[in-house]
Amino acid sequence: MTRKNPSFRISLLATAVAVTLAAPAAMAASSTKLETREAPSAATAAAPGARLIVTYRDAAAPKSVKLRTVNNAAARSRSMTSASARTGSTAPSAMLMRKLAVGADLIRLDRKLGTAELNNLVRELKADPAVASVEIDELMQHTGVARIKTDVQPQLTPNDPYYAQYNWHLQDNAGGIRAPSAWDVSTGEGVVVAVIDTGIVEHPDMDGNMLFGYDFISDKEVSRRPTDERVPGAHDYGDWNDDAARCQVGESSFHGTHVAGTVAELTNNGIGMAGIAHNAKVLPIRALGRCGGYTSDIADAIVWAAGGEVPGVPTNPNPAEIINMSLGGSGSCKAISQTAINKAVALGTTVVVAAGNSNSEVANFSPASCDSVISVAAGRITGGRASYSNFGAKIDLTGPGGGGGVDGNPNGYVWQAANDSPTSPEEGEPTYMGMAGTSMASPHVAGVAALVQSAVVAAGGAPKTPAELEAILVQSARAFPATPDKPIGSGLLDAPAALAKAMEVPCDPAVEECAPDAIELTNMVPVGNLSGTSGTETLFSFEVPEGTRLFNLMTYGGTGNASVYVSAGEAPTADTHDFKSTRPGNNETIRVSNPPATTYYILVTGSYSGMTIQARAN
């Protein structure tokens, strides 16, 4: 975090401690004050035509050749756009900003383009034999949906004074993650969680767990820094906007501070509230500012967080085991985002992403629809789906996000650290704030993932791979209190259950009969975002209860070609099985009428990506 001058630092901390310790009396003397603000549910395009992400077939081609390719395409696209011809405007000129960690070049145009001319330019570039791919460098937004401040009197508890009343999302209730039981096993020590967001501000209930991060924003209008250069530290200068022509007008969110607090706010320190993995460290990375953050900056941040090389940026001295991204935009997974995620996963980093707040199919949002991420929907204190939460087969599980006003204050919001300024944090003071959104659900999953990794390593085991960690969290999720109206994953995040699943002692076939190691399927709950390569096999299991009239198994969606083999009571093979479905593509179906009550094992083979599997017994 960027440090400010010493006098301000001392003043800020003195004020914060005084406010925290005196809060009960101060709050009791004032009436409840509510302030809410709706955030955009999906990203809009960047200033049209401002930046393009271009991958050339010859990555080593001279800069002049690359720019000539773009400029020629711009000239051709202009001639096809009648509006440009009428106004007499010239074709835009291109300049190379930098090379990205994923190997693409970031190109900036010297003027904005209208939608038609921009689309024509992209089409012309895609058709050029020198170009392998091109994407518009869009602005993504954080996925917090509402913000609320309150002066209501808290109920004091022995340690963190606001925990009992405000941190419902950490407690043992219908929608909470049951963190206290997990803390008996792990508090996240030794694990680094990167939070790619708006950066953080100083806060006495957080500073001790914050590492020195990096600011990846490469546009001074977005960052509010003096230049476009990226800089060490991740200080949040505020993301307020008062220019409606630029993007939606609104106050600063201090979204990254709130998200980081969920992961690792200091706990049992007699101040404020609690965090999940409160002995882990947060690596704050600033990629969102005024009006959002560019896809290219976020992609570089992902690679850097995992320990990968980013041109022009020093190597990260604290590679993260887990990355949280409470951000997103409309459209299916961006190619640059998927490439960056693949690099992070290959380095052993688990990527957790908020599903989005549009009450829509998650497949139409990025990066929540990308492969190899843990995509998280939002639940209410009741355990039901938050009305704004995206849904679909690509959702892995649900975490506490808050239901907003429908569940009242404070139970409709997730509460963590923030700053009370409507603009710059230097104009405000540390405080605590309630927000609702899938932004709030995602860091709960990241925090529990940190608990799991810490416990496994402390017990002498090897850190879980991203795929193993995802399976643990998905399989250990507890059942929803009632079937959700839309598919939102395997169940509700459950911290102690995840730890128990991770710490299970493997069965020893020398002393007992061992069941096959399989991923458990829950009745009528789709498991999405599956992938496999030629030669790999994935085994699932499904318990068929007594009295079942029809057992139905389906795989669907994505790309590639999968085959499915099923046997009752034992693991099948491609040669030995009770049932099979081996049609071309991923759409496989097996139906068993009046099946016996037993465990069915399902073997999936082939090369596929983005596929969903679902079992049903009725």
PDB file of all heavy atoms in Angstrom, residues 377-379 383-386 389-392 395 398 478-492 522-526:
ATOM      1  N   ALA A 377     -21.677 -17.322  -6.980  1.00  0.00           N
ATOM      2  CA  ALA A 377     -22.945 -16.599  -6.918  1.00  0.00           C
ATOM      3  C   ALA A 377     -23.146 -16.029  -5.516  1.00  0.00           C
ATOM      4  O   ALA A 377     -22.401 -16.356  -4.586  1.00  0.00           O
ATOM      5  CB  ALA A 377     -24.100 -17.531  -7.284  1.00  0.00           C
ATOM      6  N   ALA A 378     -24.173 -15.194  -5.354  1.00  0.00           N
ATOM      7  CA  ALA A 378     -24.433 -14.533  -4.072  1.00  0.00           C
ATOM      8  C   ALA A 378     -25.695 -15.069  -3.421  1.00  0.00           C
ATOM      9  O   ALA A 378     -26.733 -15.218  -4.074  1.00  0.00           O
ATOM     10  CB  ALA A 378     -24.546 -13.023  -4.260  1.00  0.00           C
ATOM     11  N   GLY A 379     -25.585 -15.341  -2.102  1.00  0.00           N
ATOM     12  CA  GLY A 379     -26.724 -15.779  -1.327  1.00  0.00           C
ATOM     13  C   GLY A 379     -27.114 -14.763  -0.264  1.00  0.00           C
ATOM     14  O   GLY A 379     -26.329 -13.897   0.115  1.00  0.00           O
ATOM     15  N   GLY A 383     -30.052 -18.008   3.055  1.00  0.00           N
ATOM     16  CA  GLY A 383     -29.514 -19.105   2.265  1.00  0.00           C
ATOM     17  C   GLY A 383     -30.079 -19.181   0.870  1.00  0.00           C
ATOM     18  O   GLY A 383     -29.681 -20.035   0.075  1.00  0.00           O
ATOM     19  N   GLY A 384     -31.010 -18.282   0.530  1.00  0.00           N
ATOM     20  CA  GLY A 384     -31.570 -18.252  -0.810  1.00  0.00           C
ATOM     21  C   GLY A 384     -30.737 -17.416  -1.755  1.00  0.00           C
ATOM     22  O   GLY A 384     -29.849 -16.665  -1.337  1.00  0.00           O
ATOM     23  N   ARG A 385     -31.028 -17.510  -3.033  1.00  0.00           N
ATOM     24  CA  ARG A 385     -30.304 -16.734  -4.035  1.00  0.00           C
ATOM     25  C   ARG A 385     -30.651 -15.263  -3.908  1.00  0.00           C
ATOM     26  O   ARG A 385     -31.826 -14.889  -3.823  1.00  0.00           O
ATOM     27  CB  ARG A 385     -30.656 -17.219  -5.447  1.00  0.00           C
ATOM     28  CG  ARG A 385     -29.901 -16.465  -6.562  1.00  0.00           C
ATOM     29  CD  ARG A 385     -30.237 -17.030  -7.936  1.00  0.00           C
ATOM     30  NE  ARG A 385     -31.546 -16.607  -8.405  1.00  0.00           N
ATOM     31  CZ  ARG A 385     -31.774 -15.526  -9.166  1.00  0.00           C
ATOM     32  NH1 ARG A 385     -30.765 -14.740  -9.525  1.00  0.00           N
ATOM     33  NH2 ARG A 385     -32.995 -15.240  -9.564  1.00  0.00           N
ATOM     34  N   ALA A 386     -29.625 -14.407  -3.891  1.00  0.00           N
ATOM     35  CA  ALA A 386     -29.863 -12.969  -3.959  1.00  0.00           C
ATOM     36  C   ALA A 386     -30.462 -12.644  -5.317  1.00  0.00           C
ATOM     37  O   ALA A 386     -30.006 -13.159  -6.341  1.00  0.00           O
ATOM     38  CB  ALA A 386     -28.559 -12.209  -3.743  1.00  0.00           C
ATOM     39  N   SER A 389     -28.194 -11.858  -8.295  1.00  0.00           N
ATOM     40  CA  SER A 389     -27.064 -12.720  -8.626  1.00  0.00           C
ATOM     41  C   SER A 389     -27.232 -13.410  -9.973  1.00  0.00           C
ATOM     42  O   SER A 389     -28.298 -13.946 -10.299  1.00  0.00           O
ATOM     43  CB  SER A 389     -26.885 -13.787  -7.541  1.00  0.00           C
ATOM     44  OG  SER A 389     -25.802 -14.651  -7.873  1.00  0.00           O
ATOM     45  N   ASN A 390     -26.167 -13.410 -10.756  1.00  0.00           N
ATOM     46  CA  ASN A 390     -26.154 -14.210 -11.968  1.00  0.00           C
ATOM     47  C   ASN A 390     -26.229 -15.691 -11.626  1.00  0.00           C
ATOM     48  O   ASN A 390     -25.954 -16.095 -10.482  1.00  0.00           O
ATOM     49  CB  ASN A 390     -24.909 -13.917 -12.801  1.00  0.00           C
ATOM     50  CG  ASN A 390     -24.981 -12.583 -13.526  1.00  0.00           C
ATOM     51  OD1 ASN A 390     -26.030 -11.940 -13.548  1.00  0.00           O
ATOM     52  ND2 ASN A 390     -23.880 -12.155 -14.096  1.00  0.00           N
ATOM     53  N   PHE A 391     -26.549 -16.512 -12.593  1.00  0.00           N
ATOM     54  CA  PHE A 391     -26.791 -17.937 -12.364  1.00  0.00           C
ATOM     55  C   PHE A 391     -26.363 -18.713 -13.602  1.00  0.00           C
ATOM     56  O   PHE A 391     -26.006 -18.130 -14.631  1.00  0.00           O
ATOM     57  CB  PHE A 391     -28.273 -18.173 -12.067  1.00  0.00           C
ATOM     58  CG  PHE A 391     -29.189 -17.549 -13.095  1.00  0.00           C
ATOM     59  CD1 PHE A 391     -29.458 -18.178 -14.306  1.00  0.00           C
ATOM     60  CD2 PHE A 391     -29.764 -16.310 -12.857  1.00  0.00           C
ATOM     61  CE1 PHE A 391     -30.281 -17.596 -15.260  1.00  0.00           C
ATOM     62  CE2 PHE A 391     -30.587 -15.711 -13.807  1.00  0.00           C
ATOM     63  CZ  PHE A 391     -30.840 -16.359 -15.011  1.00  0.00           C
ATOM     64  N   GLY A 392     -26.421 -20.034 -13.509  1.00  0.00           N
ATOM     65  CA  GLY A 392     -26.122 -20.874 -14.664  1.00  0.00           C
ATOM     66  C   GLY A 392     -25.177 -22.006 -14.332  1.00  0.00           C
ATOM     67  O   GLY A 392     -24.643 -22.106 -13.227  1.00  0.00           O
ATOM     68  N   ILE A 395     -21.616 -21.615 -12.707  1.00  0.00           N
ATOM     69  CA  ILE A 395     -21.454 -21.267 -11.292  1.00  0.00           C
ATOM     70  C   ILE A 395     -20.976 -22.501 -10.536  1.00  0.00           C
ATOM     71  O   ILE A 395     -21.519 -23.600 -10.695  1.00  0.00           O
ATOM     72  CB  ILE A 395     -22.778 -20.774 -10.679  1.00  0.00           C
ATOM     73  CG1 ILE A 395     -23.300 -19.556 -11.411  1.00  0.00           C
ATOM     74  CG2 ILE A 395     -22.611 -20.504  -9.190  1.00  0.00           C
ATOM     75  CD1 ILE A 395     -22.512 -18.303 -11.191  1.00  0.00           C
ATOM     76  N   THR A 398     -22.127 -20.984  -4.028  1.00  0.00           N
ATOM     77  CA  THR A 398     -22.677 -19.705  -3.590  1.00  0.00           C
ATOM     78  C   THR A 398     -22.058 -19.289  -2.268  1.00  0.00           C
ATOM     79  O   THR A 398     -21.912 -20.113  -1.359  1.00  0.00           O
ATOM     80  CB  THR A 398     -24.209 -19.804  -3.450  1.00  0.00           C
ATOM     81  OG1 THR A 398     -24.778 -20.004  -4.750  1.00  0.00           O
ATOM     82  CG2 THR A 398     -24.803 -18.547  -2.838  1.00  0.00           C
ATOM     83  N   ARG A 478     -22.636 -27.026   1.548  1.00  0.00           N
ATOM     84  CA  ARG A 478     -23.832 -27.650   2.130  1.00  0.00           C
ATOM     85  C   ARG A 478     -25.065 -27.328   1.288  1.00  0.00           C
ATOM     86  O   ARG A 478     -25.076 -26.359   0.521  1.00  0.00           O
ATOM     87  CB  ARG A 478     -24.041 -27.206   3.572  1.00  0.00           C
ATOM     88  CG  ARG A 478     -24.429 -25.764   3.779  1.00  0.00           C
ATOM     89  CD  ARG A 478     -24.623 -25.477   5.275  1.00  0.00           C
ATOM     90  NE  ARG A 478     -25.084 -24.122   5.511  1.00  0.00           N
ATOM     91  CZ  ARG A 478     -24.289 -23.072   5.655  1.00  0.00           C
ATOM     92  NH1 ARG A 478     -22.973 -23.223   5.572  1.00  0.00           N
ATOM     93  NH2 ARG A 478     -24.793 -21.874   5.868  1.00  0.00           N
ATOM     94  N   ALA A 479     -26.076 -28.149   1.450  1.00  0.00           N
ATOM     95  CA  ALA A 479     -27.273 -28.025   0.623  1.00  0.00           C
ATOM     96  C   ALA A 479     -27.996 -26.708   0.904  1.00  0.00           C
ATOM     97  O   ALA A 479     -27.991 -26.192   2.026  1.00  0.00           O
ATOM     98  CB  ALA A 479     -28.212 -29.195   0.888  1.00  0.00           C
ATOM     99  N   PHE A 480     -28.609 -26.163  -0.120  1.00  0.00           N
ATOM    100  CA  PHE A 480     -29.436 -24.972   0.054  1.00  0.00           C
ATOM    101  C   PHE A 480     -30.646 -25.312   0.933  1.00  0.00           C
ATOM    102  O   PHE A 480     -31.165 -26.441   0.857  1.00  0.00           O
ATOM    103  CB  PHE A 480     -29.928 -24.469  -1.303  1.00  0.00           C
ATOM    104  CG  PHE A 480     -28.835 -23.986  -2.210  1.00  0.00           C
ATOM    105  CD1 PHE A 480     -28.416 -24.770  -3.285  1.00  0.00           C
ATOM    106  CD2 PHE A 480     -28.235 -22.765  -1.999  1.00  0.00           C
ATOM    107  CE1 PHE A 480     -27.418 -24.334  -4.136  1.00  0.00           C
ATOM    108  CE2 PHE A 480     -27.224 -22.312  -2.854  1.00  0.00           C
ATOM    109  CZ  PHE A 480     -26.811 -23.099  -3.908  1.00  0.00           C
ATOM    110  N   PRO A 481     -31.114 -24.373   1.739  1.00  0.00           N
ATOM    111  CA  PRO A 481     -32.319 -24.642   2.550  1.00  0.00           C
ATOM    112  C   PRO A 481     -33.522 -25.023   1.694  1.00  0.00           C
ATOM    113  O   PRO A 481     -34.376 -25.796   2.121  1.00  0.00           O
ATOM    114  CB  PRO A 481     -32.549 -23.313   3.279  1.00  0.00           C
ATOM    115  CG  PRO A 481     -31.227 -22.630   3.276  1.00  0.00           C
ATOM    116  CD  PRO A 481     -30.556 -23.049   2.007  1.00  0.00           C
ATOM    117  N   ALA A 482     -33.594 -24.447   0.505  1.00  0.00           N
ATOM    118  CA  ALA A 482     -34.643 -24.801  -0.461  1.00  0.00           C
ATOM    119  C   ALA A 482     -34.020 -24.729  -1.852  1.00  0.00           C
ATOM    120  O   ALA A 482     -33.052 -23.992  -2.069  1.00  0.00           O
ATOM    121  CB  ALA A 482     -35.824 -23.842  -0.365  1.00  0.00           C
ATOM    122  N   THR A 483     -34.557 -25.479  -2.775  1.00  0.00           N
ATOM    123  CA  THR A 483     -34.012 -25.483  -4.132  1.00  0.00           C
ATOM    124  C   THR A 483     -34.081 -24.086  -4.726  1.00  0.00           C
ATOM    125  O   THR A 483     -35.153 -23.480  -4.770  1.00  0.00           O
ATOM    126  CB  THR A 483     -34.797 -26.457  -5.022  1.00  0.00           C
ATOM    127  OG1 THR A 483     -34.742 -27.770  -4.455  1.00  0.00           O
ATOM    128  CG2 THR A 483     -34.214 -26.491  -6.425  1.00  0.00           C
ATOM    129  N   PRO A 484     -32.952 -23.535  -5.165  1.00  0.00           N
ATOM    130  CA  PRO A 484     -32.962 -22.179  -5.731  1.00  0.00           C
ATOM    131  C   PRO A 484     -33.817 -22.106  -6.995  1.00  0.00           C
ATOM    132  O   PRO A 484     -34.009 -23.095  -7.694  1.00  0.00           O
ATOM    133  CB  PRO A 484     -31.488 -21.911  -6.042  1.00  0.00           C
ATOM    134  CG  PRO A 484     -30.727 -22.907  -5.224  1.00  0.00           C
ATOM    135  CD  PRO A 484     -31.592 -24.107  -5.130  1.00  0.00           C
ATOM    136  N   ASP A 485     -34.299 -20.895  -7.282  1.00  0.00           N
ATOM    137  CA  ASP A 485     -35.108 -20.701  -8.483  1.00  0.00           C
ATOM    138  C   ASP A 485     -34.276 -20.793  -9.754  1.00  0.00           C
ATOM    139  O   ASP A 485     -34.805 -21.030 -10.839  1.00  0.00           O
ATOM    140  CB  ASP A 485     -35.823 -19.351  -8.426  1.00  0.00           C
ATOM    141  CG  ASP A 485     -34.848 -18.180  -8.369  1.00  0.00           C
ATOM    142  OD1 ASP A 485     -33.774 -18.338  -7.762  1.00  0.00           O
ATOM    143  OD2 ASP A 485     -35.166 -17.108  -8.914  1.00  0.00           O
ATOM    144  N   LYS A 486     -32.958 -20.604  -9.622  1.00  0.00           N
ATOM    145  CA  LYS A 486     -32.029 -20.710 -10.739  1.00  0.00           C
ATOM    146  C   LYS A 486     -30.809 -21.492 -10.271  1.00  0.00           C
ATOM    147  O   LYS A 486     -30.483 -21.487  -9.083  1.00  0.00           O
ATOM    148  CB  LYS A 486     -31.590 -19.324 -11.229  1.00  0.00           C
ATOM    149  CG  LYS A 486     -32.721 -18.417 -11.676  1.00  0.00           C
ATOM    150  CD  LYS A 486     -33.283 -18.855 -13.018  1.00  0.00           C
ATOM    151  CE  LYS A 486     -34.319 -17.841 -13.510  1.00  0.00           C
ATOM    152  NZ  LYS A 486     -34.906 -18.257 -14.814  1.00  0.00           N
ATOM    153  N   PRO A 487     -30.079 -22.151 -11.171  1.00  0.00           N
ATOM    154  CA  PRO A 487     -28.891 -22.905 -10.748  1.00  0.00           C
ATOM    155  C   PRO A 487     -27.769 -21.973 -10.294  1.00  0.00           C
ATOM    156  O   PRO A 487     -27.330 -21.095 -11.042  1.00  0.00           O
ATOM    157  CB  PRO A 487     -28.489 -23.682 -12.006  1.00  0.00           C
ATOM    158  CG  PRO A 487     -29.123 -22.950 -13.143  1.00  0.00           C
ATOM    159  CD  PRO A 487     -30.369 -22.330 -12.617  1.00  0.00           C
ATOM    160  N   ILE A 488     -27.308 -22.156  -9.058  1.00  0.00           N
ATOM    161  CA  ILE A 488     -26.228 -21.335  -8.508  1.00  0.00           C
ATOM    162  C   ILE A 488     -25.184 -22.220  -7.810  1.00  0.00           C
ATOM    163  O   ILE A 488     -24.686 -21.901  -6.741  1.00  0.00           O
ATOM    164  CB  ILE A 488     -26.758 -20.245  -7.555  1.00  0.00           C
ATOM    165  CG1 ILE A 488     -27.722 -20.828  -6.511  1.00  0.00           C
ATOM    166  CG2 ILE A 488     -27.400 -19.116  -8.317  1.00  0.00           C
ATOM    167  CD1 ILE A 488     -28.167 -19.824  -5.464  1.00  0.00           C
ATOM    168  N   GLY A 489     -24.869 -23.330  -8.451  1.00  0.00           N
ATOM    169  CA  GLY A 489     -23.779 -24.156  -7.975  1.00  0.00           C
ATOM    170  C   GLY A 489     -24.199 -25.296  -7.074  1.00  0.00           C
ATOM    171  O   GLY A 489     -25.378 -25.596  -6.904  1.00  0.00           O
ATOM    172  N   SER A 490     -23.189 -25.919  -6.467  1.00  0.00           N
ATOM    173  CA  SER A 490     -23.400 -27.147  -5.702  1.00  0.00           C
ATOM    174  C   SER A 490     -24.032 -26.910  -4.344  1.00  0.00           C
ATOM    175  O   SER A 490     -24.543 -27.846  -3.734  1.00  0.00           O
ATOM    176  CB  SER A 490     -22.055 -27.860  -5.509  1.00  0.00           C
ATOM    177  OG  SER A 490     -21.167 -27.045  -4.769  1.00  0.00           O
ATOM    178  N   GLY A 491     -23.980 -25.692  -3.836  1.00  0.00           N
ATOM    179  CA  GLY A 491     -24.543 -25.413  -2.519  1.00  0.00           C
ATOM    180  C   GLY A 491     -23.923 -24.165  -1.927  1.00  0.00           C
ATOM    181  O   GLY A 491     -23.314 -23.354  -2.635  1.00  0.00           O
ATOM    182  N   LEU A 492     -24.073 -24.026  -0.600  1.00  0.00           N
ATOM    183  CA  LEU A 492     -23.579 -22.865   0.121  1.00  0.00           C
ATOM    184  C   LEU A 492     -22.186 -23.135   0.688  1.00  0.00           C
ATOM    185  O   LEU A 492     -21.935 -24.198   1.258  1.00  0.00           O
ATOM    186  CB  LEU A 492     -24.534 -22.507   1.265  1.00  0.00           C
ATOM    187  CG  LEU A 492     -25.936 -22.055   0.850  1.00  0.00           C
ATOM    188  CD1 LEU A 492     -26.853 -22.009   2.066  1.00  0.00           C
ATOM    189  CD2 LEU A 492     -25.886 -20.694   0.179  1.00  0.00           C
ATOM    190  N   THR A 522     -24.774 -33.865  -6.657  1.00  0.00           N
ATOM    191  CA  THR A 522     -25.980 -33.645  -5.865  1.00  0.00           C
ATOM    192  C   THR A 522     -27.189 -33.647  -6.791  1.00  0.00           C
ATOM    193  O   THR A 522     -27.126 -33.142  -7.912  1.00  0.00           O
ATOM    194  CB  THR A 522     -25.905 -32.300  -5.123  1.00  0.00           C
ATOM    195  OG1 THR A 522     -24.753 -32.312  -4.286  1.00  0.00           O
ATOM    196  CG2 THR A 522     -27.139 -32.064  -4.271  1.00  0.00           C
ATOM    197  N   ASN A 523     -28.292 -34.211  -6.327  1.00  0.00           N
ATOM    198  CA  ASN A 523     -29.482 -34.348  -7.148  1.00  0.00           C
ATOM    199  C   ASN A 523     -29.925 -33.006  -7.726  1.00  0.00           C
ATOM    200  O   ASN A 523     -30.114 -32.025  -7.003  1.00  0.00           O
ATOM    201  CB  ASN A 523     -30.622 -34.942  -6.317  1.00  0.00           C
ATOM    202  CG  ASN A 523     -31.800 -35.369  -7.173  1.00  0.00           C
ATOM    203  OD1 ASN A 523     -31.629 -35.739  -8.337  1.00  0.00           O
ATOM    204  ND2 ASN A 523     -33.000 -35.314  -6.612  1.00  0.00           N
ATOM    205  N   MET A 524     -30.037 -32.938  -9.045  1.00  0.00           N
ATOM    206  CA  MET A 524     -30.547 -31.798  -9.803  1.00  0.00           C
ATOM    207  C   MET A 524     -29.637 -30.572  -9.757  1.00  0.00           C
ATOM    208  O   MET A 524     -30.041 -29.476 -10.160  1.00  0.00           O
ATOM    209  CB  MET A 524     -31.959 -31.415  -9.314  1.00  0.00           C
ATOM    210  CG  MET A 524     -32.992 -32.505  -9.475  1.00  0.00           C
ATOM    211  SD  MET A 524     -34.608 -32.062  -8.815  1.00  0.00           S
ATOM    212  CE  MET A 524     -35.048 -30.690  -9.884  1.00  0.00           C
ATOM    213  N   VAL A 525     -28.411 -30.711  -9.280  1.00  0.00           N
ATOM    214  CA  VAL A 525     -27.480 -29.578  -9.226  1.00  0.00           C
ATOM    215  C   VAL A 525     -26.434 -29.746 -10.326  1.00  0.00           C
ATOM    216  O   VAL A 525     -25.614 -30.659 -10.281  1.00  0.00           O
ATOM    217  CB  VAL A 525     -26.787 -29.478  -7.856  1.00  0.00           C
ATOM    218  CG1 VAL A 525     -25.745 -28.350  -7.865  1.00  0.00           C
ATOM    219  CG2 VAL A 525     -27.811 -29.248  -6.758  1.00  0.00           C
ATOM    220  N   PRO A 526     -26.460 -28.870 -11.337  1.00  0.00           N
ATOM    221  CA  PRO A 526     -25.465 -28.989 -12.410  1.00  0.00           C
ATOM    222  C   PRO A 526     -24.074 -28.615 -11.918  1.00  0.00           C
ATOM    223  O   PRO A 526     -23.906 -27.718 -11.101  1.00  0.00           O
ATOM    224  CB  PRO A 526     -25.961 -27.991 -13.460  1.00  0.00           C
ATOM    225  CG  PRO A 526     -26.766 -26.993 -12.695  1.00  0.00           C
ATOM    226  CD  PRO A 526     -27.381 -27.739 -11.551  1.00  0.00           C
TER     227      PRO A 526
END
